[in-house]
Amino acid sequence: MEKDSIAVGLDIGTTKIVAMIGRKNEYGKLEILGVGKSKSLGVARGVVNNITQTIQSIQQAVLEAEADSGYKINDVVVGIAGQHIRSIQHSDYISRNNPEEVIGDADIDLLINQVHKLAMLPGEEIIHVLPQEFKIDGQNEIKEPIGMYGGRLESSFHVVVGQASSIRNVGRCIKSSGLDLSGLTLEPLASADAVLSQEEKEAGVALIDIGGGTTDLAIFKDGIIRHTAVIPFGGNVITDDIKEGCSIIEKQAELLKVKFGSAWPGENKDNEIVSIPGLRGREPKEISLKNLSKIIHARVVEIIEQVFAEIKAYGHEDPRKKLIAGIVLTGGGAQLKHVKQLVEYITGMDTRIGYPNEHLAGNSDEEISSPLYATAVGLVMNSLRNDTQSATPLVELQKPVEQPVYRQPVINTVVAPDPTQQLYEEEEVLETVTAKQPERNVEESTEKKVKKSFFDKYIDKIKDFLDNAE
């Protein structure tokens, strides 16, 4: 029987690092076997800025996931984000030597490899080359060119570019954590896999993933990725604003945001007040929830306006580029109260919160269905497509090597009428059992007997010596 492919996704975020192990069940849904989560200490705005701390955080998340699942992680698919990410549109073509042969995978690979050789700015590297629409001998809007005839194969590409040093730093952290890097995926693409349906991608949709350090955007139309962007603001900037505005420590600011925060100030009454304990015996602080909402509102508006500027840059006002399915919000920031209403108010587009539960098995933990884990779920789905065995059951690793064991012959002790007959039967049983044993076992037992007789003689000599001494 063929082994199930076990996939592992590692989401290296600014606030948390998540390691997730999963496999497909018999219904084609994603079954999560284990999740490990740790506080991200060495990452700022999606970029690694402290290698040692990031390695420790990765190892902690991986150990937790292994303990939770009973699997040993070998390799991972990692999500990449950060303000260094940018995307460009590019068109390229190849002239085929034999137009009489049908177009195959080799031709598509040749075209994609050609795009990979594009000259980039110093220090930049191509992360993804995503074909959009193909053109064969001047015939437009071909989505699947394989199996068709043609001499000139042309395509428009969405090319995602990132800082080479940032990508290498992520790779270094993975290697130093004792893992192999099996793939690198842009985080908004992973989140899109987890929370968007094919119908939404066809109709036209903008996915906004509000993380801790960055807000990621991915725009789809006609089932094709059209635009990606990473905005260097996220939930942490909101927390910093609360910390400064209310003169409290970061931990308290984060708790305030999660428990009482709202993106819509009109919701709170003036007399709603929350009391924060003072530091080291100082008087407790009283904070108005209306003021708290005003602080959050100002920053969320700024983030959404920047995202909306990117959506406008894509050209959604053009009737052919219209995003009929509107906006889908995901990531930890999507859990902020009334953020959906605020996005609808600013953009005038239909908005929903994206949960990754559409692709998850029915018995999945409720926590995993949270928008917080959308990227991690998407990375596991991405890893499953590679059909890899990214984790091994710990039971298999711990199995001892089976040694042949010499068992004592079992003698039937049922009383026979004639004692000589019984003795004869016992000898026959002994002979049969011994004949069935591997030769090595007989040799081992002989060796043991030799050793035993040697020690017996040695002990006897010591006894004689003591007797003589007396």
Side-chain angles (χ1 to χ4, degrees):
M1 192 183 132
E2 210 176 282
K3 275 187 179 178
D4 287 343
S5 68
I6 306 291
V8 183
L10 185 70
D11 175 15
I12 302 175
T14 307
T15 47
K16 65 179 189 331
I17 289 178
V18 178
M20 193 177 272
I21 306 173
R23 67 170 171 219
K24 269 200 175 156
N25 66 7
E26 64 267 36
Y27 307 109
K29 294 285 184 186
L30 182 62
E31 183 187 340
I32 302 299
L33 302 169
V35 179
K37 190 171 119 184
S38 67
K39 191 169 167 51
S40 182
L41 297 170
V43 182
R45 293 191 173 170
V47 178
V48 174
N49 64 1
N50 186 319
I51 294 275
T52 312
Q53 286 185 328
T54 306
I55 292 166
Q56 286 169 358
S57 298
I58 290 170
Q59 286 173 335
Q60 194 183 327
V62 164
L63 281 172
E64 205 176 294
E66 287 177 343
D68 190 25
S69 64
Y71 280 79
K72 173 87 177 75
I73 295 174
N74 308 320
D75 58 78
V76 291
V77 166
V78 176
I80 192 149
Q83 62 201 73
H84 61 93
I85 302 285
R86 66 185 183 94
S87 62
I88 51 173
Q89 294 297 117
H90 175 74
S91 290
D92 217 323
Y93 74 93
I94 55 164
S95 296
R96 300 180 67 236
N97 297 330
N98 190 356
E100 298 303 310
E101 275 184 19
V102 294
I103 294 166
D105 286 326
D107 296 302
I108 309 291
D109 291 342
L110 186 66
L111 186 53
I112 289 171
N113 288 338
Q114 197 165 294
V115 179
H116 269 290
K117 290 171 188 163
L118 266 179
M120 288 289 120
L121 292 171
E124 279 191 335
E125 201 173 276
I126 292 174
I127 302 169
H128 290 296
V129 172
L130 306 163
Q132 295 187 315
E133 281 163 327
F134 292 90
K135 195 192 263 190
I136 299 171
D137 294 344
Q139 185 188 338
N140 281 334
E141 294 181 6
I142 296 167
K143 286 190 181 176
E144 185 51 87
I146 290 172
M148 297 178 81
Y149 289 100
R152 180 185 164 108
L153 177 64
E154 208 173 326
S155 178
S156 55
F157 292 94
H158 183 76
V159 184
V160 180
V161 181
Q163 207 71 41
S165 56
S166 297
I167 297 163
R168 287 202 187 95
N169 284 340
V170 170
R172 164 97 196 278
C173 291
I174 303 299
K175 280 269 185 288
S176 303
S177 302
L179 303 166
D180 286 329
L181 183 62
S182 62
L184 205 63
T185 303
L186 188 64
E187 291 198 352
L189 294 181
S191 305
D193 280 346
V195 302
L196 297 181
S197 66
Q198 194 52 41
E199 289 85 358
E200 284 176 318
K201 288 180 182 177
E202 288 288 342
V205 66
L207 175 83
I208 302 172
D209 184 347
I210 308 169
T214 58
T215 299
D216 307 333
L217 171 73
I219 297 175
F220 291 85
K221 178 76 178 170
D222 301 325
I224 299 163
I225 179 86
R226 299 291 183 184
H227 188 75
T228 50
V230 178
I231 288 133
F233 297 115
N236 286 4
V237 186
I238 302 168
T239 307
D240 285 343
D241 286 356
I242 297 167
K243 186 178 89 172
E244 298 299 325
C246 300
S247 303
I248 54 176
I249 61 169
E250 195 174 331
K251 196 177 176 184
Q252 292 171 336
E254 182 66 30
L255 274 170
L256 261 184
K257 180 182 80 175
V258 173
K259 284 198 168 183
F260 304 102
S262 165
W264 202 267
E267 283 293 310
N268 299 110
K269 295 180 181 70
D270 290 327
N271 60 354
E272 283 182 306
I273 284 168
V274 64
S275 182
I276 302 274
L279 292 174
R280 303 278 289 186
R282 291 176 180 83
E283 289 292 309
K285 265 201 174 76
E286 288 188 342
I287 291 159
S288 156
L289 289 189
K290 199 171 189 76
N291 286 344
L292 176 70
S293 293
K294 279 179 182 173
I295 294 168
I296 293 170
H297 174 83
R299 183 59 82 177
V300 175
V301 166
E302 188 189 342
I303 292 169
I304 295 163
E305 279 177 347
Q306 285 212 33
V307 175
F308 196 40
E310 288 284 347
I311 295 172
K312 282 178 182 168
Y314 151 75
H316 88 111
E317 284 157 356
D318 181 335
R320 288 172 303 168
K321 293 184 172 183
K322 198 175 178 199
L323 305 176
I324 298 162
I327 289 171
V328 176
L329 291 172
T330 193
Q335 294 174 306
L336 190 64
K337 233 182 281 176
H338 304 118
V339 71
K340 171 184 172 289
Q341 288 85 335
L342 185 60
V343 171
E344 282 181 340
Y345 176 74
I346 292 170
T347 62
M349 295 163 81
D350 286 341
T351 306
R352 76 170 176 92
I353 305 291
Y355 297 93
N357 51 8
E358 188 185 326
H359 302 283
L360 292 174
N363 59 350
S364 296
D365 191 342
E366 201 176 310
E367 194 192 356
I368 296 162
S369 306
S370 151
L372 206 68
Y373 292 100
T375 305
V377 170
L379 290 169
V380 175
M381 288 169 68
N382 195 292
S383 179
L384 273 172
R385 282 193 217 110
N386 303 342
D387 200 31
T388 51
Q389 196 69 30
S390 298
T392 321
L394 285 168
V395 183
E396 280 184 23
L397 294 172
Q398 289 167 354
K399 258 186 200 168
V401 180
E402 284 188 19
Q403 294 290 338
V405 180
Y406 178 73
R407 291 185 178 85
Q408 287 294 327
V410 179
I411 299 164
N412 193 356
T413 53
V414 177
V415 179
D418 182 7
T420 51
Q421 178 68 27
Q422 186 187 343
L423 186 67
Y424 173 73
E425 280 175 5
E426 283 175 6
E427 279 173 4
E428 200 172 41
V429 170
L430 262 167
E431 277 170 23
T432 321
V433 173
T434 314
K436 284 181 186 173
Q437 295 303 319
E439 284 175 24
R440 207 168 99 195
N441 290 345
V442 179
E443 282 169 18
E444 278 176 15
S445 60
T446 317
E447 200 180 315
K448 281 179 190 171
K449 279 177 190 171
V450 171
K451 279 182 183 172
K452 196 176 174 188
S453 59
F454 170 75
F455 280 115
D456 284 345
K457 281 176 188 171
Y458 193 68
I459 289 161
D460 287 341
K461 278 183 182 175
I462 292 168
K463 277 182 184 172
D464 290 341
F465 174 75
L466 291 170
D467 288 341
N468 292 334
E470 282 172 11

